[in-house]
Amino acid sequence: MAKSVRVKSFELFPQDICEVDIQSLHALSLGVGWPHRPADWELFRRAGQGIVAVDGIGRVFGSAMWFPHGEDFATVGLVITTPRAQANGAGRWLMEQVLTRCDGRHLSLNSTRAAYPLYISLGFEVEATVFLHDGITLEIPTLPAADGVLSELSTDGIEELAAFDAPAFGTERGKLLSLLSEVAVTCVLKRNDVVVGYAMRRKFGSGHVIGPIVALNDADAVQLTAWHLKSLSGKQTRIDTREKGAFSDFLTTCRLNISETTTTMSKGRRFLNRAENKPWIYGLAGHALS
Ligand SMILES: CC(C)(COP(=O)(O)OP(=O)(O)OC[C@H]1O[C@@H](n2cnc3c(N)ncnc32)[C@H](O)[C@@H]1OP(=O)(O)O)[C@@H](O)C(=O)NCCC(=O)NCCS
């Protein structure tokens, strides 16, 4: 008997991500150590578009998604190649498919270390570091009273919230916020009956994610986050933020420590444009959603 066997190389073809079994996508993310549940993939498939790389008998070897907002912008994410197929050109090929399908759109994504050289070579430029804070909060430090009224959003409030959010995100993303609100609990901060901040929390992976968190200043962002953390005591919680100052310190005080960093990159128009006294994204909706 031969001591080894040479396995034939195989060809991969693009297929719409909505046409494959959700379990094969779950297996793909598990394979690279990501926490996504099938329900998380379902949500992403409803929020955006994507392709998978399949072989001749329909096995999934890779994925890439994009989430269009408005006419000329999209975020990119869920770019995965299964480990046994990595370093063979599939990741680059998947991204080329995305770039062709997103032609004419400005793009942004949050890159892992593994994908960084690929995105640089495709013309993406570095904008910021994203800090993944996670852990289990048991106790929240005593905070001063909030400047305004914090309450849970009623189902018909998404339009006002989307209008508040648009200058922070740079593009109107009401459709995404509306979709997220179906599975999220949303807290709104109002002053004089006007929205001045909001934060959502939803189940993700084996715990919960708080995001988006959008506010005018650090103090409001802390109040919105604390509102959610009170309900998440003892539960695994994750917040992705680009903040370093008071907001980040608050998370660390709540035992949500930095476990990983990624890099926000863009291709085309600059994505992050902070302006004084304007809303700002303190917490990301998700790595793929920005
Ligand atoms: C990032 C990822 C998708 C890349 O997929 P891939 O199929 O290995 O990509 P490719 O083979 O097309 O390689 C793309 C580039 O990555 C780099 N690269 C790939 N394998 C490498 C290796 N073993 N060592 C060093 N660089 C490597 C090279 O710069 C390569 O460029 P080249 O085409 O000029 O050689 C894959 O590693 C992955 O799924 N990682 C885990 C999930 C992840 O981090 N996804 C990114 C989310 S933002």
Side-chain angles (χ1 to χ4, degrees):
M1 191 196 299
K3 280 193 182 146
S4 65
V5 60
R6 180 177 291 272
V7 180
K8 270 197 220 156
S9 62
F10 42 83
E11 209 171 337
L12 298 176
F13 304 91
Q15 191 175 340
D16 191 308
I17 200 163
C18 290
E19 291 172 2
V20 296
D21 185 56
I22 206 78
Q23 294 305 335
S24 58
L25 300 175
H26 186 220
L28 200 58
S29 51
L30 277 179
V32 293
W34 286 6
H36 302 59
R37 304 163 302 158
D40 298 317
W41 275 103
E42 290 286 15
L43 186 70
F44 287 128
R45 287 209 297 197
R46 287 179 65 202
Q49 298 168 42
I51 50 161
V52 283
V54 294
D55 71 359
I57 54 168
R59 290 175 301 185
V60 175
F61 285 79
S63 66
M65 293 198 74
W66 61 97
F67 303 87
H69 300 285
E71 293 299 307
D72 68 351
F73 179 69
T75 63
V76 175
L78 285 313
V79 179
I80 303 173
T81 306
T82 196
R84 59 185 271 248
Q86 283 175 13
N88 281 303
R92 179 175 297 282
W93 176 78
L94 279 163
M95 275 306 294
E96 283 164 359
Q97 303 280 325
V98 171
L99 295 182
T100 304
R101 286 161 168 82
C102 290
D103 190 25
R105 289 185 184 272
H106 303 279
L107 301 174
S108 179
L109 53 77
N110 297 301
S111 171
T112 58
R113 190 178 297 218
Y116 186 89
L118 171 63
Y119 297 142
I120 289 285
S121 74
L122 291 171
F124 283 81
E125 289 179 21
V126 172
E127 289 206 18
T129 301
V130 179
F131 305 95
L132 161 51
H133 286 258
D134 63 0
I136 295 176
T137 300
L138 297 173
E139 219 176 306
I140 299 163
T142 311
L143 296 172
D147 180 10
V149 179
L150 291 158
S151 63
E152 190 169 335
L153 181 80
S154 64
T155 44
D156 57 1
I158 286 292
E159 248 176 60
E160 189 183 0
L161 195 142
F164 171 78
D165 176 272
F169 190 67
T171 308
E172 211 272 348
R173 56 170 171 170
K175 258 164 63 183
L176 174 68
L177 298 180
S178 177
L179 180 65
L180 292 178
S181 74
E182 286 179 24
V183 293
V185 176
T186 305
C187 175
V188 185
L189 177 65
K190 288 188 176 181
R191 281 195 273 278
N192 305 320
D193 223 22
V194 173
V195 172
V196 290
Y198 78 91
M200 292 183 172
R201 76 164 188 269
R202 66 179 196 276
K203 282 190 175 166
F204 174 76
S206 57
H208 296 77
V209 61
I210 305 179
I213 305 164
V214 182
L216 292 171
N217 57 52
D218 293 3
D220 289 352
V222 164
Q223 293 286 351
L224 284 157
T225 306
W227 189 92
H228 284 297
L229 284 176
K230 280 177 199 151
S231 303
L232 294 174
S233 176
K235 294 179 180 154
Q236 189 70 35
T237 304
R238 153 183 191 155
I239 295 174
D240 300 280
T241 184
R242 301 183 184 96
E243 293 302 295
K244 282 191 196 133
F247 181 71
S248 158
D249 294 346
F250 168 72
L251 299 183
T252 311
T253 314
C254 295
R255 297 198 189 187
L256 301 180
N257 295 314
I258 298 171
S259 64
E260 205 183 307
T261 61
T262 52
T263 307
T264 299
M265 303 174 98
S266 58
K267 187 172 163 70
R269 183 175 70 210
R270 191 179 158 81
F271 172 53
L272 300 170
N273 299 290
R274 191 170 198 168
E276 221 173 315
N277 300 321
K278 293 278 181 215
W280 185 239
I281 296 180
Y282 281 82
L284 277 59
H287 262 189
L289 304 172
S290 254

